[in-house]
Amino acid sequence: MNVPVLVVQGLTVYRGTHPAVQEVSFTVPAGTDTAIIGPNGAGKSTLIQAVLGILPRQAGQIAVLGHALSNKGYLPPAVRQQIAYLPQNFLFDRRIPITVSELVGLGWDGVGPQLPWVGGRARRHAVRAALTQVEAWHLRDQLVSSLSGGETKRVLLAYCLVRPRSLLILDEAPAGLDVLGESEFYQLLYQLKQEQGWAILQISHDLDMVRRSCDRVLCMNRKLLCQGPPDHALAPEQLSLAYGPDLVRYHHTCEPHHHDY
Amino acid sequence: MTIEAELTRVIGLFQLPFMQRALMGGVLTGLMGGLLGSFTILRQLSFFSDALGHSALLGISIGLLLGFDPSWVLLPFAVVFALVVTYFLERTQLWTDALLNIIYSSSLAVGIILLSFRDEYQGGITNLLFGDILAVQTADLIFGTVLLAVCAGFIGLTLRSQILLTLHEPMAIARGVNVSAQRTTFIVLLSLVVGISIKAIGVLLISAFVVIPACAARLLSRQFTHYILISAGLGAVSAVMGMLLSALFDLPSGPSIVAVQLGIFLLAALVPTARAIAP
């Protein structure tokens, strides 16, 4: 439970000539759910992209499962296999001919050179198991471009699920879903988290969901303003640091909605 | 002339060594173009292959001025050119098609100016523009076969990474795909395929070999892996059919192959699957 899957120390990332993330340090223990909150432009997506090695960093250290992420974004392949990433919007060229089975299968494959037919049976079995678990097996032969928003999210969860992982990184994963779709997404996500023992690092604007479901919260606006359990990090005085006093007043006047995830 | 006599003439024609080499050269170019073309169009690099083909004229001109065999200069030029263009594309804020247009039209202009200093090569420009597949030599076939093997090996061994990279680059990076290395290797292979094919197909038509079979395959495919195989297959089939057409009606070979590719594309557009998956 307390073995960290992710350790970030003194991370600084520039977007152009301006620092988007400044000296951010935090730890994600195994099996826990950490939410990153903050206003638009606070550097949340930049932080996640630096952790994944998509963006270079100007300072700081990042370690996944005890392995340092190099400045060029290298991690040993076995460690990379332990990470799954769901982007904010799964935007791709919808003219690309790819079926649901093929997409989920990409989550199973390693990144090193391999013959396309090697491991075919194990791959098919894993894809079937993952799609069945998210109740999307019936979509297996459909083009990904033909799926609805909710179906796409389920298929992407199968992409994460098709191999055992230690860390799921979600950048506002339910973006684009309606209230019901978002609720179903979180229900499935936390059911799978329970079963798989995933640690989750996610960006979210849904403070009610964060309060109910997350173990830890990182509140940032370029710098890390506070971190800790939701009761502490979502206290009005902490939120006003990140969002300003208006949001706190708004939250006081709106009763939080309660869902059973 | 009766049909039987005509067929006998064509069969006799294909027993000539130069026709057999031309046929093999066409099939090799079709396979390589179709294979790499499948990723080229999805990564929106179609115009890149066109620009590369046109700019090859500059490489040939430089080779001639320096007194080298243009064939030896063409391949290194194509690779260096492709890498330089990639560098500019990654580091400028300009639109890709605009930048490629600047590069290819200006290098074409400089190439023609340089060629004007070499009077003895004026007649060769037509061959350069439209190619001469009948002039394919055994050495060209050997190099083409090796290049096809390298392309097939590269795509085959990195297939999943290539698909993920084509689909969603940030997800590919998150999975540990070395995007820069994969992209550079692909561009180098594409430039070699374009460079080696210019002699047979010409600078004006080479991009058709990369783009048309892949577009037809896209209309006929629902799965990515099938799409790649169909694209390479259509490239080879259209080369054979184009060569036959050329021999039957005494037409120029390269344009005949491209005409067949167009015919296949139009037929593919009429297939119900194509209508169903078209966006």
Side-chain angles (χ1 to χ4, degrees):
Chain A
M1 181 75 178
N2 293 320
V3 180
V5 290
L6 175 66
V7 178
V8 174
Q9 287 180 321
L11 180 66
T12 297
V13 186
Y14 275 67
R15 288 273 197 186
T17 53
H18 301 287
V21 173
Q22 267 185 298
E23 294 173 21
V24 169
S25 300
F26 64 93
T27 298
V28 177
T32 60
D33 184 355
T34 302
I36 305 171
I37 64 166
N40 290 335
K44 304 183 295 297
S45 293
T46 303
L47 170 64
I48 271 186
Q49 288 176 13
V51 165
L52 288 164
I54 295 172
L55 284 178
R57 60 183 186 269
Q58 275 62 48
Q61 305 293 324
I62 298 168
V64 180
L65 295 167
H67 294 265
L69 178 78
S70 79
N71 276 331
K72 291 187 173 178
Y74 177 79
L75 273 175
V79 178
R80 277 282 178 196
Q81 285 281 28
Q82 295 292 316
I83 308 170
Y85 165 59
L86 291 193
Q88 183 173 8
N89 288 306
F90 181 57
L91 292 176
F92 71 102
D93 187 340
R94 300 180 77 80
R95 292 164 293 192
I96 295 176
I98 185 164
T99 62
V100 165
S101 293
E102 284 183 302
L103 173 61
V104 175
L106 293 178
W108 189 84
D109 294 303
V111 293
Q114 60 186 68
L115 293 167
W117 54 84
V118 169
R121 179 176 292 198
R123 190 173 190 272
R124 281 194 298 276
H125 181 76
V127 168
R128 182 180 187 131
L131 280 172
T132 304
Q133 209 163 344
V134 300
E135 296 178 5
W137 175 240
H138 62 287
L139 302 172
R140 62 191 177 279
D141 292 327
Q142 284 205 28
L143 287 168
V144 177
S145 56
S146 71
L147 301 180
S148 68
E151 288 171 337
T152 304
K153 303 292 182 189
R154 269 194 289 156
V155 167
L156 287 174
L157 280 177
Y159 168 89
C160 300
L161 188 64
V162 73
R163 255 192 198 269
R165 318 273 188 204
S166 297
L167 176 62
L168 237 66
I169 298 182
L170 315 176
D171 186 351
E172 293 182 57
L177 297 180
D178 60 19
V179 176
L180 184 63
E182 193 173 318
S183 170
E184 286 174 354
F185 173 80
Y186 278 120
Q187 197 171 0
L188 182 59
L189 175 69
Y190 285 111
Q191 180 194 327
L192 293 172
K193 175 183 179 293
Q194 201 76 17
E195 293 168 6
Q196 304 289 321
W198 290 333
I200 295 178
L201 176 65
Q202 63 173 319
I203 294 174
S204 182
H205 287 296
D206 185 345
L207 300 185
D208 292 331
M209 183 284 295
V210 170
R211 190 185 300 277
R212 278 191 309 275
S213 308
C214 296
D215 302 302
R216 290 180 63 79
V217 180
L218 310 175
C219 184
M220 67 179 289
N221 195 352
R222 295 193 183 177
K223 292 182 175 180
L224 196 57
L225 302 174
C226 69
Q227 61 175 312
D231 286 346
H232 167 70
L234 298 179
E237 60 273 20
Q238 304 287 11
L239 287 180
S240 66
L241 283 175
Y243 294 94
D246 288 348
L247 178 106
V248 178
R249 275 199 296 275
Y250 173 79
H251 254 255
H252 273 295
T253 54
C254 298
E255 284 297 317
H257 305 282
H258 291 284
H259 303 281
D260 292 325
Y261 291 132
Chain B
M1 195 182 285
T2 62
I3 293 176
E4 196 178 324
E6 189 65 11
L7 284 176
T8 308
R9 182 184 70 80
V10 170
I11 290 168
L13 207 53
F14 276 99
Q15 285 171 342
L16 298 171
F18 78 89
M19 278 301 280
Q20 291 172 352
R21 286 197 300 271
L23 185 63
M24 284 189 275
V27 170
L28 281 173
T29 307
L31 284 170
M32 288 188 290
L35 185 65
L36 296 190
S38 57
F39 287 97
T40 302
I41 65 161
L42 296 186
R43 294 178 187 175
Q44 299 182 21
L45 291 170
S46 305
F47 197 48
F48 183 89
S49 61
D50 198 31
L52 196 59
H54 284 68
S55 305
L57 194 67
L58 177 59
I60 291 169
S61 312
I62 292 170
L64 284 169
L65 275 186
L66 295 175
F68 295 120
D69 180 346
S71 304
W72 290 105
V73 180
L74 189 55
L75 290 182
F77 175 82
V79 171
V80 171
F81 183 85
L83 293 175
V84 170
V85 170
T86 308
Y87 177 85
F88 275 112
L89 286 177
E90 286 177 355
R91 281 165 178 74
T92 61
Q93 300 294 316
L94 288 172
W95 300 269
T96 303
D97 58 346
L99 188 62
L100 285 173
N101 202 309
I102 292 170
I103 292 168
Y104 103 73
S105 51
S106 51
S107 55
L108 194 62
V110 175
I112 296 288
I113 290 171
L114 291 179
L115 274 183
S116 69
F117 294 117
R118 300 278 303 195
D119 291 340
E120 72 273 26
Y121 201 73
Q122 296 295 318
I125 289 184
T126 307
N127 274 351
L128 205 60
L129 294 178
F130 298 103
D132 185 5
I133 201 167
L134 303 180
V136 166
Q137 300 298 311
T138 307
D140 300 323
L141 293 179
I142 292 170
F143 192 81
T145 307
V146 171
L147 187 56
L148 174 63
V150 172
C151 291
F154 172 69
I155 296 292
L157 290 172
T158 64
L159 182 63
R160 314 297 184 199
S161 300
Q162 297 295 332
I163 296 175
L164 193 55
L165 174 56
T166 306
L167 190 68
H168 201 275
E169 190 175 306
M171 282 174 75
I173 298 172
R175 287 299 310 283
V177 175
N178 188 336
V179 169
S180 177
Q182 301 272 15
R183 193 187 281 143
T184 304
T185 308
F186 184 85
I187 290 293
V188 167
L189 287 176
L190 182 62
S191 62
L192 286 172
V193 168
V194 170
I196 197 176
S197 306
I198 281 174
K199 183 176 177 182
I201 310 301
V203 298
L204 294 182
L205 294 178
I206 182 58
S207 66
F209 276 67
V210 176
V211 174
I212 301 178
C215 285
R218 161 63 184 81
L219 292 174
L220 297 170
S221 315
R222 285 180 63 87
Q223 290 191 27
F224 207 117
T225 41
H226 293 174
Y227 158 68
I228 299 166
L229 295 173
I230 291 172
S231 178
L234 288 182
V237 166
S238 53
V240 173
M241 289 172 65
M243 288 299 295
L244 281 171
L245 198 69
S246 158
L248 268 173
F249 299 104
D250 197 22
L251 299 171
S253 305
S256 299
I257 296 172
V258 175
V260 170
Q261 290 171 345
L262 176 65
I264 291 173
F265 171 75
L266 293 175
L267 285 175
L270 296 174
V271 171
T273 317
R275 289 201 295 271
I277 62 176

